[in-house]
Amino acid sequence: MLPGNYKDIEYLCQLLYFGSPFLKVLASSCLAEACYWLSNMPTNNESKETNAEQSTLESLKSIMMVLQGAIFDTYTTVQKNCSFSLYLLITNTNSNAQEKAEIQGSMWLRFLIEEFAAALSTPGESVPCTTYVVTGLLKAHTTWIFSILSPTCISAIISSLTPRRITPAIMAFLKELHNKGCIEEKHIEKLHVHLKVLTFNEVRE
């Protein structure tokens, strides 16, 4: 059965939170699929009852809390699925004003962005799974994110990038930064060199 609202997928969060390692991986994959479905389902313009709206909002809060905590799970697959689920929730154009405020105003998301910036601006650190979350917030025009991703921070991140660290997720992040006019010409030149190295290595392989 396909989900119709956030309440329909709340039970998956219980499996993600309380389940065994296998169930956590399975539940996180199902959550990513469910969030994708909800973000692409046709918009219902009919008025909703207040109680139903409140119930859905409470379910969304629960889902957000579980996903934001599970993004630090020991299993990389769970981390990536939860990060991608958050990306889908953040960029969901079907969300109403209350839901958007709940999602984008989360203080825990601010912590995730700070962790992302610290990890990516440190040479040698692995690419954090929270890249999807940051990309989602940029795409959703979340203004507070630039209090963390300042020009100095962005410069440090790009300076610390190497060809090995430029993953598809990082490319999507850089694209959103470029769309917001946050990447300077000197940064573009550096990234161009990295991409040439990536292309050369792929040809050799």
Side-chain angles (χ1 to χ4, degrees):
M1 179 179 176
L2 295 172
N5 54 46
Y6 294 122
K7 194 166 183 61
D8 290 343
I9 62 174
E10 193 175 8
Y11 73 94
L12 288 171
C13 290
Q14 297 174 7
L15 294 176
L16 180 60
Y17 190 81
F18 295 108
S20 63
F22 172 77
L23 278 179
K24 285 178 183 289
V25 172
L26 184 61
S28 68
S29 298
C30 291
L31 271 169
E33 289 286 343
C35 289
Y36 178 80
W37 169 258
L38 287 176
S39 65
N40 286 278
M41 67 186 297
T43 305
N44 183 7
N45 293 320
E46 297 178 4
S47 59
K48 301 177 182 178
E49 295 182 6
T50 304
N51 290 341
E53 282 188 347
Q54 187 61 34
S55 177
T56 300
L57 191 61
E58 290 301 319
S59 296
L60 176 59
K61 290 179 181 179
S62 175
I63 292 168
M64 287 288 294
M65 288 177 62
V66 173
L67 288 175
Q68 289 170 137
I71 207 169
F72 292 108
D73 193 86
T74 53
Y75 288 88
T76 304
T77 302
V78 175
Q79 294 175 15
K80 288 182 177 179
N81 285 334
C82 291
S83 182
F84 187 61
S85 295
L86 285 169
Y87 166 85
L88 292 169
L89 293 178
I90 293 166
T91 59
N92 186 3
T93 55
N94 291 330
S95 298
N96 60 37
Q98 271 189 312
E99 291 167 348
K100 288 180 180 179
E102 178 63 35
I103 294 169
Q104 298 180 25
S106 170
M107 291 301 295
W108 188 249
L109 284 184
R110 184 179 289 272
F111 170 73
L112 293 181
I113 306 310
E114 290 172 349
E115 287 291 303
F116 165 85
L120 207 57
S121 58
T122 304
E125 287 284 328
S126 59
V127 176
C129 292
T130 45
T131 305
Y132 296 112
V133 179
V134 184
T135 304
L137 289 169
L138 286 169
K139 196 170 184 178
H141 307 285
T142 310
T143 54
W144 61 257
I145 194 174
F146 294 108
S147 65
I148 302 171
L149 295 180
S150 62
T152 303
C153 178
I154 292 171
S155 182
I157 287 173
I158 293 177
S159 296
S160 300
L161 287 178
T162 61
R164 288 181 177 274
R165 299 180 84 190
I166 300 181
T167 63
I170 290 296
M171 286 297 295
F173 163 67
L174 294 172
K175 179 184 176 182
E176 287 302 321
L177 279 182
H178 185 263
N179 290 342
K180 299 293 183 294
C182 298
I183 297 185
E184 301 175 15
E185 189 64 34
K186 62 180 181 180
H187 297 150
I188 294 175
E189 293 175 1
K190 182 179 179 62
L191 292 172
H192 182 65
V193 172
H194 287 333
L195 291 175
K196 286 177 68 176
V197 172
L198 275 175
T199 304
F200 177 73
N201 289 339
E202 288 177 358
V203 171
R204 288 183 61 188
E205 291 175 359

